[in-house]
Amino acid sequence: MRHFGRIAVHIIIVGVIIGTLLCAGLVSAASPTAIKFWGGWTGPDRFGMEKIVTNFIKENPDIRVQFFTAPWTEVFTKFGTTFGTSAGPDLLAMHVADISQFASRGMLLPVEDIAAQNKIQASDFPPSVWQGQFYKGRQYGIPLDYHPMAIYKNVDLFKKAGLDPNITFDSKEEFINALKKLTVKDSSGKIVQYGIAIGSNHPHTMRYWYSLLFQAGGSFLNESGTKAAFNSEAGVKALQFLHDLIYTYKVAPTHESDIDKDFLTGRVATLIEGPWWVPGIKEQKGLQATVAPFPKIFEKPAVWAGSHTLTLPKQANKKKLDAAIKLLNYIIAHSVDWGAAGQIPASKSVIASEAYKNLVDYKYYKTFIDQADTIRYEPLMVQNASFGSDNQMSPVLNAIFAVILNEKTPKEALDEAAEEVNAILE
């Protein structure tokens, strides 16, 4: 996950297992096909993928896999410098929003025929997730997972406020009323506990706004994808709502710099995060949390989501390509272990399996699964790398921060950002 992508590089050469198996006489001495699999998982989800790859090697002794994982930016930089050489990856993970930048440069192999030959069918995936794999009418990825956001609730703080910890939020009024009850002052009138976290420097804040933009009937770009459309009445309404949580309703801290820490320590009673955060709450001693769908504030449900996908870089070595496809199929079919690491497998058949439903944390994951039909991806185009929420220099992200810091009005900030996005799109 990008969200854990600030820690050290990890290189895991699980192929060494082959040596152990050879010594044990379990594998023939024939030279295995060596392939490279790269991804950007540096958080707890890394261990889930390591387990899948290790099991693949055990079951396929004719293939040796070198699994490399590092922060996404480093992975993509390395991919760019090694593309077309034997040092590059044979199987490459990325987010759906990244497909366009590599497909447009001719670096990825279209996978429609490969999917058909391996009986990977659209019907086994949520429609929105499957459609995210396409760029200009060609399919370049096989969905591994999807990760919409949802709201985590501190059970003890909800009970103290007289609220049901299993509550869902289906209207603006219901949501505001709950957050007010969860905002607590001490005897001097100082607020010592807030209802919700709204980061003044966190990309999630743009993702909250993005969800609300679509809930209010807006869109990020016009229908042809050539102009910004987010500075509409819907966009302003969505951003005004986030601003009001802080400055009108006073249920969120001002200048909040660490939303995760604030939730874990009880400074805020709710936090909007993705499924990757489930392992995090379990590690916090004494914290009990429940999860509900992203709050429905405006006319219709909608929630920002990202998705990991598996792609095949173009290459001439058919033996390596076949081995990479075999690994890809294995990962999709065995993604229960990926789900156990805090991601939502994209395959419906995996999600419906008893093995997945028996996961200890399934009670949390089901909330994310149930939002599959309402997810909204950021624009799947090359330019999203310039204005998407993962770019700290994004004019949209910085416009939202300016409003959250009470430096500009929503209309003023979004109009300025729209001009910059239009310039990027030209």
Side-chain angles (χ1 to χ4, degrees):
M1 280 304 310
R2 294 175 199 271
H3 316 278
F4 298 99
R6 302 292 185 269
I7 61 175
V9 174
H10 303 272
I11 302 175
I12 305 95
I13 305 175
V14 286
V16 295
I17 292 171
I18 288 297
T20 304
L21 295 174
L22 280 169
C23 292
L26 301 175
V27 181
S28 72
S31 178
T33 301
I35 60 172
K36 300 180 183 67
F37 171 33
W38 292 2
W41 306 294
T42 54
D45 44 6
R46 172 171 60 95
F47 302 113
M49 188 55 70
E50 282 180 25
K51 181 178 180 181
I52 295 173
V53 173
T54 300
N55 289 338
F56 173 81
I57 292 171
K58 288 179 180 176
E59 296 177 26
N60 297 273
D62 57 327
I63 298 173
R64 186 174 66 215
V65 182
Q66 185 186 73
F67 178 41
F68 170 81
T69 182
W72 290 104
T73 301
E74 182 177 336
V75 169
F76 295 151
T77 299
K78 190 177 172 72
F79 177 43
T81 57
T82 60
F83 176 70
T85 74
S86 60
D90 303 290
L91 181 63
L92 176 64
M94 60 180 66
H95 289 86
V96 287
D98 300 316
I99 287 177
S100 58
Q101 65 171 305
F102 296 111
S104 66
R105 293 154 65 186
M107 298 171 72
L108 301 180
L109 196 65
V111 297
E112 299 97 331
D113 293 342
I114 293 171
Q117 290 164 9
N118 289 277
K119 299 181 180 178
I120 298 175
Q121 300 175 332
S123 59
D124 192 38
F125 300 87
S128 56
V129 175
W130 184 261
Q131 287 303 316
Q133 313 302 311
F134 288 77
Y135 174 70
K136 291 190 172 181
R138 300 299 308 271
Q139 183 181 356
Y140 290 96
I142 302 296
L144 173 61
D145 63 45
Y146 59 97
H147 37 264
M149 310 202 89
I151 186 164
Y152 290 76
K153 298 165 290 182
N154 183 313
V155 170
D156 289 340
L157 299 185
F158 267 66
K159 287 181 176 178
K160 285 181 181 177
L163 294 167
D164 180 358
N166 296 311
I167 190 175
T168 59
F169 303 109
D170 299 315
S171 72
K172 177 180 174 180
E173 293 71 25
E174 189 177 45
F175 188 51
I176 295 296
N177 288 338
L179 295 184
K180 285 181 176 177
K181 291 181 180 178
L182 292 163
T183 300
V184 178
K185 296 179 181 178
D186 64 14
S187 57
S188 68
K190 179 185 176 183
I191 297 178
V192 294
Q193 174 187 302
Y194 289 88
I196 190 169
I198 302 290
S200 61
N201 61 352
H202 200 298
H204 281 6
T205 306
M206 178 171 166
R207 292 164 182 157
Y208 306 162
W209 167 78
Y210 198 85
S211 305
L212 297 171
L213 167 69
F214 284 90
Q215 285 195 9
S219 61
F220 190 80
L221 300 176
N222 63 8
E223 194 169 341
S224 58
T226 56
K227 291 285 185 184
F230 56 78
N231 55 331
S232 60
E233 182 180 345
V236 171
K237 184 178 175 182
L239 190 49
Q240 185 67 54
F241 176 75
L242 293 178
H243 177 275
D244 289 349
L245 289 177
I246 303 170
Y247 299 101
T248 300
Y249 303 115
K250 301 183 187 304
V251 294
T254 58
H255 299 80
E256 189 171 14
S257 60
D258 194 335
I259 57 174
D260 294 341
K261 179 182 177 183
D262 285 350
F263 181 74
L264 292 175
T265 58
R267 186 182 183 221
V268 300
T270 66
L271 172 69
I272 298 175
E273 267 284 6
W276 59 82
W277 219 68
V278 169
I281 60 172
K282 293 183 65 180
E283 291 176 2
Q284 185 71 8
K285 281 188 176 179
L287 174 64
Q288 292 185 59
T290 56
V291 184
F294 187 92
K296 178 179 174 291
I297 304 301
F298 299 120
E299 288 78 10
K300 55 185 178 182
V303 59
W304 175 96
S307 176
H308 292 119
T309 185
L310 297 175
T311 67
L312 294 163
K314 281 186 177 176
Q315 63 165 297
N317 189 321
K318 188 176 184 309
K319 195 173 180 182
K320 284 180 177 289
L321 176 60
D322 288 345
I325 293 171
K326 192 170 185 178
L327 174 59
L328 183 156
N329 271 316
Y330 187 92
I331 292 171
I332 298 299
H334 294 79
S335 51
V336 168
D337 288 328
W338 187 235
Q343 301 289 353
I344 306 299
S347 167
K348 290 181 181 177
S349 54
V350 170
I351 285 176
S353 68
E354 288 303 312
Y356 184 76
K357 290 181 177 178
N358 287 333
L359 290 177
V360 173
D361 294 326
Y362 179 74
K363 60 182 178 182
Y364 298 111
Y365 299 140
K366 188 173 186 309
T367 296
F368 297 92
I369 294 167
D370 290 344
Q371 296 186 97
D373 293 336
T374 62
I375 65 174
R376 297 286 182 172
Y377 289 134
E378 292 181 27
L380 304 176
M381 59 198 319
V382 177
Q383 295 90 336
N384 192 63
S386 298
F387 51 66
S389 61
D390 280 319
N391 185 346
Q392 288 293 325
M393 302 300 291
S394 163
V396 185
L397 181 63
N398 285 294
I400 290 167
F401 288 162
V403 173
I404 295 303
L405 292 170
N406 209 27
E407 295 172 347
K408 295 180 181 177
T409 67
K411 180 61 175 171
E412 178 186 12
L414 292 179
D415 280 348
E416 290 177 3
E419 286 188 19
E420 293 188 55
V421 168
N422 287 337
I424 293 170
L425 291 170
E426 286 180 354

